[in-house]
């Protein structure tokens, strides 16, 4: 199979990067994401993992992918896929408004971009939170990391994180 690429963008800021799908390491996850593209929604900056931005989505795969190519220590440029039950993110400590995707149903999908090092996927409520590494940024990570830092400092309100075929 030829390499497949996607564009990851912070739409309001007009910043994007290019990522290669890791079909050889996470084929089921890559297929699920690729078939559902374009995907996107409100962006959040992680509270626990450190250098991560993500969007929450309703499930889009016919069957949730298994934990393939897992990590608890994502590196800069990793794209990760997480699945949470609807109740896992519904506590007020996470800060999601009532009616948000985090409260939307029995399952919530989290598509994330890690933009800097020293990440550890541990949550005080749940413990270790392994993610599926399904993509790797190959171009534009420096610009995206700067925009992610701005998102952290200036705020995420009105910003969207989008994934599209390149």
């Amino acid at each position: 199979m030829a390499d497949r690429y996607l564009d990851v963008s912070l739409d309001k800021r007009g910043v994007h990067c290019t990522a290669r799908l890791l079909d050889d390491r996470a084929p089921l996850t890559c297929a699920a994401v690729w078939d559902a593209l374009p995907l996107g929604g409100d962006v959040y900056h992680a509270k626990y993992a450190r250098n991560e931005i993500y969007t929450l989505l309703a499930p889009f795969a016919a069957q949730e992918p298994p934990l393939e190519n897992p990590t608890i220590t994502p590196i800069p440029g990793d794209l990760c896929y997480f699945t949470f039950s609807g109740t896992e993110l519904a506590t007020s400590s996470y800060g999601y408004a009532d009616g948000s995707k985090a409260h939307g149903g029995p399952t919530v999908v989290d598509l994330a971009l890690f933009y800097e090092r020293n990440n550890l996927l541990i949550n005080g409520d749940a413990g270790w939170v392994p993610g599926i590494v399904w993509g790797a940024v190959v171009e534009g990570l420096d610009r995206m990391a700067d925009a992610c830092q701005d998102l952290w400092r200036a705020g995420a309100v009105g910003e969207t994180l989008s994934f599209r075929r390149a």
Side-chain angles (χ1 to χ4, degrees):
M1 175 186 289
D3 286 342
R4 298 188 289 179
Y5 295 89
L6 59 115
D7 183 79
V8 181
S9 62
L10 288 170
D11 299 322
K12 183 177 169 184
R13 284 171 171 78
V15 178
H16 69 97
C17 57
T18 303
R20 181 178 59 84
L21 272 67
L22 301 178
D23 286 300
D24 57 330
R25 296 183 183 189
L28 299 173
T29 306
C30 289
V33 172
W34 187 259
D35 291 346
L37 292 174
L39 293 165
D42 291 343
V43 67
Y44 299 93
H45 196 288
K47 289 172 80 172
Y48 298 104
R50 193 163 180 167
N51 300 300
E52 170 195 1
I53 61 168
Y54 62 97
T55 191
L56 300 174
L57 304 165
F60 49 81
Q63 181 176 349
E64 285 302 310
L67 189 59
E68 52 184 0
N69 198 32
T71 190
I72 58 166
T73 56
I75 62 173
D78 277 351
L79 299 180
C80 289
Y81 183 110
F82 303 90
T83 303
F84 298 102
S85 74
T87 58
E88 282 180 279
L89 302 178
T91 64
S92 61
S93 65
Y94 294 105
Y96 302 116
D98 288 340
S100 72
K101 296 272 196 232
H103 301 278
T107 304
V108 176
V109 173
D110 171 333
L111 291 185
L113 164 67
F114 290 83
Y115 63 89
E116 185 53 79
R117 49 182 289 192
N118 296 325
N119 302 294
L120 185 60
L121 300 179
I122 189 165
N123 177 297
D125 296 333
W128 298 110
V129 183
I132 301 167
V133 182
W134 60 276
V137 174
V138 295
E139 183 181 317
L141 185 58
D142 290 344
R143 291 185 311 272
M144 184 61 85
D146 289 344
C148 292
Q149 282 294 331
D150 181 64
L151 185 84
W152 172 250
R153 296 188 43 82
V157 174
E159 182 63 88
T160 56
L161 177 61
S162 297
F163 299 83
R164 296 176 186 87
R165 293 181 185 188

